[in-house]
Amino acid sequence: ILSIQEAFIETELGSSFGLKMGKFATSVGVEVLEAPENPVFTHGYLFNYAMPATHTGLLVTYEEDTLAFEAGIVNGWDSVVDNDNDPTFYANALVSGSGWDAMISFIKGTELTVERTLFDFSMTFKPTNDLEVKAEYLSGSQESGPTVKWSGIAMEAVFGRPGSVKFGVRYESFDDSDNWAGIGETVSNISLAPTFTLSEATALRMELRIDTAESNLFPDDAGATNTDTMQTFSLEMYTKF
């Protein structure tokens, strides 16, 4: 199956306003689609299970020195074609200051006849040129008979200068007690990832990730679901064009 990650057009409407139309990556949360732009290699639970990765629709955008926002209608969560003829409302606002920014995101609409709502708040701090810290809180709900809720927190940090060795770390906890994502309990992970710059465009990154659960959710060395902790080691080399 061929899937185009992003395909959109943007046009200006005066000095600050604009329009954005097509398929585009979400602005929700602290993680992004492209792995090299994140502090660690793997995506976390919040990105994979708690929010949409892309939207298809039409947004009005606004950007000034310390304020930016976008709002409009989209075809639900990760849907190129609307699955219920009922568009979803999507909006986020970003406020920036000296060494920090804060973003609020809100999504609400019907997905296959059920009402789904998502709220996300994230902040980024850059106290020095060598350190960047991000924090996120997310809360979602779906009205499908009984109300199903999910929530999570995440923290990320990157230490180091471009062109040298950088160290990334991520911690997150995802509460899926209502079984929204099919996990049915609270899971968490911590990841450590040094990145070694090989050239201006190429880097090598390693990641040690430790996942924990409330029950024996993960497979053991024999492949049976028999442990509440899982360790994963990843190695990645990427080149930017």
Side-chain angles (χ1 to χ4, degrees):
I1 298 175
L2 177 64
S3 177
I4 298 175
Q5 182 170 297
E6 292 186 281
F8 61 88
I9 59 173
E10 290 184 286
T11 183
E12 294 182 354
L13 299 175
S15 60
S16 301
F17 285 92
L19 287 177
K20 184 176 184 179
M21 180 174 63
K23 182 182 180 183
F24 41 86
T26 189
S27 297
V28 177
V30 295
E31 287 193 44
V32 297
L33 271 171
E34 302 293 345
E37 305 303 322
N38 294 317
V40 300
F41 169 55
T42 61
H43 283 301
Y45 290 109
L46 300 191
F47 186 90
N48 283 328
Y49 296 108
M51 66 178 70
T54 63
H55 309 280
T56 301
L58 175 66
L59 303 180
V60 175
T61 63
Y62 174 87
E63 185 172 357
E64 284 288 356
D65 293 337
T66 61
L67 175 65
F69 76 79
E70 54 186 11
I73 55 173
V74 296
N75 291 336
W77 290 38
D78 299 307
S79 299
V80 175
V81 179
D82 195 354
N83 55 28
D84 55 12
N85 296 317
D86 190 356
T88 293
F89 176 72
Y90 166 78
N92 70 69
L94 176 70
V95 180
S96 303
S98 178
W100 65 272
D101 62 58
M103 183 171 67
I104 296 177
S105 302
F106 181 76
I107 305 173
K108 187 177 183 64
T110 302
E111 297 286 326
L112 293 175
T113 73
V114 295
E115 188 78 12
R116 187 181 298 170
T117 304
L118 182 72
F119 170 81
D120 186 276
F121 176 73
S122 61
M123 292 197 72
T124 301
F125 302 93
K126 196 166 185 179
T128 71
N129 291 331
D130 301 335
L131 176 63
E132 183 177 74
V133 180
K134 296 183 178 182
E136 175 184 7
Y137 169 75
L138 174 147
S139 177
S141 65
Q142 181 167 286
E143 305 292 337
S144 51
T147 300
V148 176
K149 297 181 179 180
W150 63 95
S151 63
I153 59 171
M155 293 192 68
E156 298 181 349
V158 178
F159 178 79
R161 296 183 178 180
S164 63
V165 180
K166 296 193 299 182
F167 295 91
V169 60
R170 177 188 65 210
Y171 169 79
E172 65 171 359
S173 177
F174 176 48
D175 182 356
D176 189 44
S177 301
D178 287 351
N179 208 31
W180 146 259
I183 299 173
E185 59 188 81
T186 298
V187 289
S188 61
N189 80 77
I190 185 168
S191 297
L192 306 172
T195 300
F196 303 90
T197 300
L198 304 181
S199 69
E200 185 176 344
T202 305
L204 176 70
R205 179 159 58 180
M206 296 177 285
E207 179 185 347
L208 173 64
R209 171 171 172 161
I210 302 173
D211 291 84
T212 58
E214 295 176 315
S215 66
N216 293 335
L217 183 67
F218 304 114
D220 58 18
D221 292 339
T225 306
N226 198 33
T227 179
D228 62 358
T229 306
M230 180 174 64
Q231 299 84 32
T232 308
F233 178 77
S234 303
L235 181 65
E236 172 194 38
M237 179 181 289
Y238 60 83
T239 297
K240 296 182 179 181
F241 297 94

